[in-house]
PDB file of all heavy atoms in Angstrom:
ATOM      1  N   TYR A 116     -22.680  -5.582 -53.786  1.00  0.00           N
ATOM      2  CA  TYR A 116     -23.997  -5.100 -53.408  1.00  0.00           C
ATOM      3  C   TYR A 116     -24.123  -3.571 -53.431  1.00  0.00           C
ATOM      4  O   TYR A 116     -25.185  -3.034 -53.734  1.00  0.00           O
ATOM      5  CB  TYR A 116     -24.355  -5.596 -52.004  1.00  0.00           C
ATOM      6  CG  TYR A 116     -24.613  -7.079 -51.930  1.00  0.00           C
ATOM      7  CD1 TYR A 116     -23.769  -7.926 -51.220  1.00  0.00           C
ATOM      8  CD2 TYR A 116     -25.714  -7.640 -52.568  1.00  0.00           C
ATOM      9  CE1 TYR A 116     -24.009  -9.292 -51.143  1.00  0.00           C
ATOM     10  CE2 TYR A 116     -25.965  -9.003 -52.501  1.00  0.00           C
ATOM     11  CZ  TYR A 116     -25.110  -9.830 -51.790  1.00  0.00           C
ATOM     12  OH  TYR A 116     -25.349 -11.172 -51.721  1.00  0.00           O
ATOM     13  N   PHE A 199     -24.716  -5.703 -68.630  1.00  0.00           N
ATOM     14  CA  PHE A 199     -25.373  -4.573 -67.981  1.00  0.00           C
ATOM     15  C   PHE A 199     -24.376  -3.451 -67.717  1.00  0.00           C
ATOM     16  O   PHE A 199     -24.672  -2.270 -67.920  1.00  0.00           O
ATOM     17  CB  PHE A 199     -26.007  -5.062 -66.675  1.00  0.00           C
ATOM     18  CG  PHE A 199     -26.514  -3.972 -65.777  1.00  0.00           C
ATOM     19  CD1 PHE A 199     -27.652  -3.267 -66.096  1.00  0.00           C
ATOM     20  CD2 PHE A 199     -25.840  -3.659 -64.608  1.00  0.00           C
ATOM     21  CE1 PHE A 199     -28.114  -2.257 -65.262  1.00  0.00           C
ATOM     22  CE2 PHE A 199     -26.295  -2.660 -63.775  1.00  0.00           C
ATOM     23  CZ  PHE A 199     -27.441  -1.952 -64.102  1.00  0.00           C
ATOM     24  N   GLY A 220     -19.577   2.106 -79.993  1.00  0.00           N
ATOM     25  CA  GLY A 220     -18.165   2.328 -79.699  1.00  0.00           C
ATOM     26  C   GLY A 220     -17.911   2.483 -78.216  1.00  0.00           C
ATOM     27  O   GLY A 220     -16.934   1.937 -77.677  1.00  0.00           O
ATOM     28  N   ALA A 263     -29.951  16.017 -54.997  1.00  0.00           N
ATOM     29  CA  ALA A 263     -31.407  15.970 -55.192  1.00  0.00           C
ATOM     30  C   ALA A 263     -32.114  16.828 -54.157  1.00  0.00           C
ATOM     31  O   ALA A 263     -33.159  17.439 -54.443  1.00  0.00           O
ATOM     32  CB  ALA A 263     -31.903  14.525 -55.109  1.00  0.00           C
ATOM     33  N   TYR A 461     -31.694 -26.383 -47.566  1.00  0.00           N
ATOM     34  CA  TYR A 461     -32.104 -26.496 -46.162  1.00  0.00           C
ATOM     35  C   TYR A 461     -32.784 -27.839 -45.913  1.00  0.00           C
ATOM     36  O   TYR A 461     -32.458 -28.552 -44.952  1.00  0.00           O
ATOM     37  CB  TYR A 461     -33.059 -25.357 -45.811  1.00  0.00           C
ATOM     38  CG  TYR A 461     -33.633 -25.465 -44.404  1.00  0.00           C
ATOM     39  CD1 TYR A 461     -33.012 -24.823 -43.347  1.00  0.00           C
ATOM     40  CD2 TYR A 461     -34.778 -26.221 -44.156  1.00  0.00           C
ATOM     41  CE1 TYR A 461     -33.527 -24.929 -42.055  1.00  0.00           C
ATOM     42  CE2 TYR A 461     -35.299 -26.335 -42.871  1.00  0.00           C
ATOM     43  CZ  TYR A 461     -34.666 -25.689 -41.832  1.00  0.00           C
ATOM     44  OH  TYR A 461     -35.173 -25.810 -40.564  1.00  0.00           O
TER      45      TYR A 461
END
Side-chain angles (χ1 to χ4, degrees):
Y116 290 114
F199 170 73
Y461 175 93

